[in-house]
């Protein structure tokens, strides 16, 4: 997984370069891809977030208000590290987009002059039944939206996702599930939300 994330970051640097002062990763799963991006782009990597380890995954919380509160408690920005800087921020995915929007705003509030978001996965376009508890496609920010529209919603200066065609090379031919990216599931998905609808 570590090596695959490094390769994902390098692939993003190749596909989506940007003029910037530093590369950073959203803790924890975005950090390794950020290291791969920074090395491939010959840019410095710098941690700019400090994390409250006692807060769980925010995107799976049932209400938007809970997710927003979770992000505020979970991450903070080191202002001295970003003030006046052009930032390339790497994250492992964008699901609903609410977390990304808040993190970009946090970087800007801390003085970042530009925030370029790079995502080390393809866009989530389909529901996931095997780990990411998102029962409805309509809850996914990438569903029925263009990349430019997503970029505006999260407030970034630019946005780039890893191409789905790059996934096989990242894992050196190992079998992987791409259901949430292209709707092709390894087994037949359930007919409905078997756990009950999430509250909006």
């Amino acid at each position: 997984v570590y090596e695959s994330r490094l390769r994902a970051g390098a692939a993003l640097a190749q596909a989506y370069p940007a003029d910037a002062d530093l590369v950073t990763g959203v803790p924890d799963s975005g950090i390794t891809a950020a290291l791969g991006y920074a090395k491939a782009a010959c840019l410095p990597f710098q941690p700019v977030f400090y994390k409250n380890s006692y807060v769980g995954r925010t995107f799976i919380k049932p209400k938007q208000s809970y997710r927003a509160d979770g992000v505020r408690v979970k991450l903070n920005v080191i202002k001295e590290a970003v003030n006046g800087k052009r930032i390339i921020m790497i994250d492992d995915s964008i699901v609903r987009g609410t977390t990304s929007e808040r993190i970009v705003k946090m970087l800007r509030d801390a003085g970042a002059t530009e925030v370029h978001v790079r995502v080390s996965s393809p866009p989530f376009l389909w529901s996931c039944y095997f780990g990411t508890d998102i029962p409805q496609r309509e809850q996914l920010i990438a569903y029925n939206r263009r990349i430019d529209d997503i970029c505006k919603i999260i407030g970034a200066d630019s946005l780039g996702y890893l191409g789905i065609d790059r996934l096989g090379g990242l894992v050196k031919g190992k079998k992987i599930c791409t259901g949430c990216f292209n709707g092709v599931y390894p087994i037949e998905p359930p007919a409905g939300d078997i756990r009950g609808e999430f509250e909006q």
Side-chain angles (χ1 to χ4, degrees), residues 18-23 82 84-88 112-116:
D19 291 328
D21 300 301
L22 63 91
V23 180
V82 303
K85 303 286 181 61
R86 300 167 298 170
I87 311 292
I88 297 173
T113 59
E114 297 177 16
V115 181
H116 301 275

Side-chain angles (χ1 to χ4, degrees), residues 2-200:
Y2 176 81
E3 291 180 351
S4 296
R5 285 175 169 168
L6 286 175
R7 288 192 284 270
L12 283 170
Q14 182 181 29
Y16 300 103
D19 291 328
D21 300 301
L22 63 91
V23 180
T24 196
V26 177
D28 289 315
S29 50
I31 292 174
T32 307
L35 288 167
Y37 189 109
K39 183 176 180 180
C42 298
L43 288 169
F45 167 83
Q46 185 169 343
V48 304
F49 300 104
Y50 56 99
K51 180 183 174 186
N52 181 338
S53 300
Y54 298 98
V55 179
R57 302 303 300 269
T58 54
F59 73 84
I60 63 174
K61 293 184 183 296
K63 286 187 177 182
Q64 170 55 31
S65 59
Y66 297 164
R67 293 191 290 271
D69 290 342
V71 174
R72 280 194 294 269
V73 174
K74 181 177 182 178
L75 283 181
N76 288 283
V77 175
I78 303 168
K79 292 183 179 181
E80 293 78 6
V82 303
N83 188 33
K85 303 286 181 61
R86 300 167 298 170
I87 311 292
I88 297 173
M89 183 191 84
I90 313 292
D91 206 350
D92 66 338
S93 62
I94 299 179
V95 182
R96 290 183 174 91
T98 51
T99 298
S100 298
E101 181 183 3
R102 289 202 167 270
I103 294 174
V104 170
K105 185 178 186 304
M106 287 166 58
L107 288 169
R108 292 198 188 281
D109 289 347
T113 59
E114 297 177 16
V115 181
H116 301 275
V117 177
R118 303 292 180 261
V119 186
S120 60
S121 73
F124 276 53
L125 298 171
W126 296 79
S127 297
C128 176
Y129 304 97
F130 310 111
T132 306
D133 198 0
I134 302 295
Q136 295 176 313
R137 293 180 72 191
E138 292 76 14
Q139 295 181 8
L140 303 171
I141 192 171
Y143 176 66
N144 273 346
R145 288 190 178 94
R146 299 177 306 164
I147 303 298
D148 288 348
D149 295 330
I150 301 169
C151 185
K152 290 177 184 175
I153 290 170
I154 67 173
D157 290 282
S158 68
L159 173 63
Y161 284 90
L162 187 71
I164 194 168
D165 59 309
R166 304 300 295 263
L167 293 179
L170 300 183
V171 297
K172 296 189 175 180
K174 291 182 173 67
K175 290 185 179 181
I176 56 174
C177 178
T178 58
C180 55
F181 306 134
N182 61 8
V184 179
Y185 299 100
I187 61 174
E188 191 67 25
D193 176 16
I194 61 176
R195 295 182 60 186
E197 294 291 335
F198 272 23
E199 297 179 64
Q200 298 296 316

